[in-house]
Amino acid sequence: MPTKAEVKRLSKAIKLKIRTGDKVVIIAGKDRGEIGFVAAVSPKEQKVIVLKENEENPEQPLPLNAAIKHRKAKQQGERSVRIRIPVPIHISNVMVLDPETNQPSRIGRRIEDGKSVRYAKKSGKTIPTVVTQAPKA
């Protein structure tokens, strides 16, 4: 039987300070110092997938913290390929960039006009919410 504290912890919705579309810098790991944007967030696991802009092909961003998967050729004439797959990074290893100074900053919450908004603690500026398009069904 779970304790009262465990039930309370499991019932609360996890609210992360990092959201999809945020511009972040990786502060730990093999890609330390790289700047990218958050493509996906997993609140339950507290992990994010970070992608980087691709100058050669803007429609296909490059994954940061990528693992390489080898795909063998199945038919004659087809080539074997090395595919870069993005691996989730823990949220403690990324920091949101301050919208004013473009430096890594901690994130806080405050009430503005009756709504809770995120702000960069370094400059005090409100972080704009990025509107992402919902996938078409």
Side-chain angles (χ1 to χ4, degrees):
M1 178 110 182
T3 63
K4 191 174 181 181
E6 289 173 345
V7 171
K8 188 175 182 181
R9 183 176 46 85
L10 292 173
S11 67
K12 279 193 172 183
I14 300 169
K15 200 158 196 178
L16 302 180
K17 296 182 179 180
I18 296 176
R19 294 184 184 166
T20 304
D22 283 348
K23 196 172 178 187
V24 296
V25 62
I26 297 175
I27 61 170
K30 64 181 181 181
D31 288 328
R32 181 184 330 174
E34 292 283 340
I35 296 173
F37 62 93
V38 177
V41 179
S42 175
K44 194 171 187 178
E45 298 169 355
Q46 295 190 355
K47 294 193 176 199
V48 294
I49 291 180
V50 182
L51 301 178
K52 181 171 130 179
E53 297 292 333
N54 186 358
E55 289 94 25
E56 296 171 6
N57 188 1
E59 294 178 9
Q60 191 170 18
L62 299 171
L64 291 175
N65 193 40
I68 294 178
K69 183 176 181 180
H70 296 78
R71 192 177 77 202
K72 195 172 180 179
K74 302 234 184 236
Q75 298 174 352
Q76 194 171 6
E78 191 179 11
R79 297 185 71 167
S80 296
V81 183
R82 294 174 68 195
I83 302 169
R84 291 174 51 93
I85 297 174
V87 178
I89 306 171
H90 196 269
I91 59 167
S92 65
N93 295 330
V94 296
M95 283 186 87
V96 176
L97 292 178
D98 192 324
E100 187 176 285
T101 62
N102 217 26
Q103 294 291 319
S105 174
R106 291 184 176 159
I107 304 301
R109 292 185 188 275
R110 64 180 170 210
I111 306 294
E112 286 182 3
D113 301 326
K115 289 187 177 182
S116 177
V117 294
R118 299 178 306 149
Y119 72 98
K121 289 190 174 183
K122 200 167 250 188
S123 68
K125 293 286 183 180
T126 301
I127 297 175
T129 56
V130 179
V131 179
T132 56
Q133 295 178 348
K136 294 180 181 179

